[in-house]
Amino acid sequence: MSTDKTRPAGRRDRSRPGTVPPQRAPHRPRQPLRPHQWFAERLLAVLSGQRPVHWMLGHTIGEAYDQLAELAPGAPLGAGSRRPVVRTCHGTQPATGVVEAFASIATGEQVRAMAFRLERGPDLRWRCAAVDLGGERLSAVG
């Protein structure tokens, strides 16, 4: 039995009358990622050294995979002790079945740009056809 004289006898919880419990923010379902947002996250994971390049196998076309394999060991987006994140990602559709996208990648105070092209195959799957990291161009040969 508690010796607290402000609680009614037999009451064991510690809440006080008149206090309002903290309110939770209403649950909002996450919007599904668009193809360019999904690819931006995947490319960042590979180009920062967080994931192996073979993680992109089947998600690239032409020579893009081979070129990613050459670039990834240097982890060009993995500079610094902080984990890089996709700050923004936008895409445009210049033609049916094509998305050209750009993303800003932030690592602490440093911000880098990444541009890439996606092409939709006959199986309706999106695949990366080209990547550009400010002069380090990776493109698929059709």
Side-chain angles (χ1 to χ4, degrees):
M1 186 92 170
S2 173
T3 59
D4 186 356
K5 302 205 187 299
T6 61
R7 266 188 251 148
R11 185 170 176 181
R12 294 174 192 234
D13 67 347
R14 298 197 179 262
S15 63
R16 299 256 183 226
T19 61
V20 178
Q23 297 293 317
R24 286 184 161 194
H27 174 70
R28 281 189 251 155
R30 284 183 96 174
Q31 295 291 326
L33 290 179
R34 294 181 177 169
H36 60 278
Q37 294 167 322
W38 186 83
F39 270 90
E41 294 288 345
R42 277 185 98 81
L43 289 168
L44 174 60
V46 170
L47 294 173
S48 65
Q50 296 173 42
R51 292 285 187 166
V53 73
H54 70 263
W55 199 48
M56 289 298 291
L57 203 58
H59 299 290
T60 57
I61 58 174
E63 294 179 17
Y65 178 81
D66 296 332
Q67 293 169 327
L68 273 174
E70 288 178 23
L71 188 60
L77 296 179
S81 60
R82 298 181 115 171
R83 182 179 181 157
V85 295
V86 175
R87 182 188 270 177
T88 61
C89 183
H90 300 281
T92 62
Q93 260 191 305
T96 302
V98 174
V99 172
E100 292 181 348
F102 62 93
S104 63
I105 309 298
T107 307
E109 297 293 318
Q110 182 183 13
V111 178
R112 298 217 29 213
M114 175 175 65
F116 54 97
R117 179 182 173 98
L118 304 176
E119 295 179 6
R120 196 170 200 173
D123 60 357
L124 302 180
R125 291 182 55 206
W126 291 99
R127 290 180 179 82
C128 184
V131 178
D132 188 351
L133 298 177
E136 302 169 83
R137 182 151 179 84
L138 309 175
S139 62
V141 176

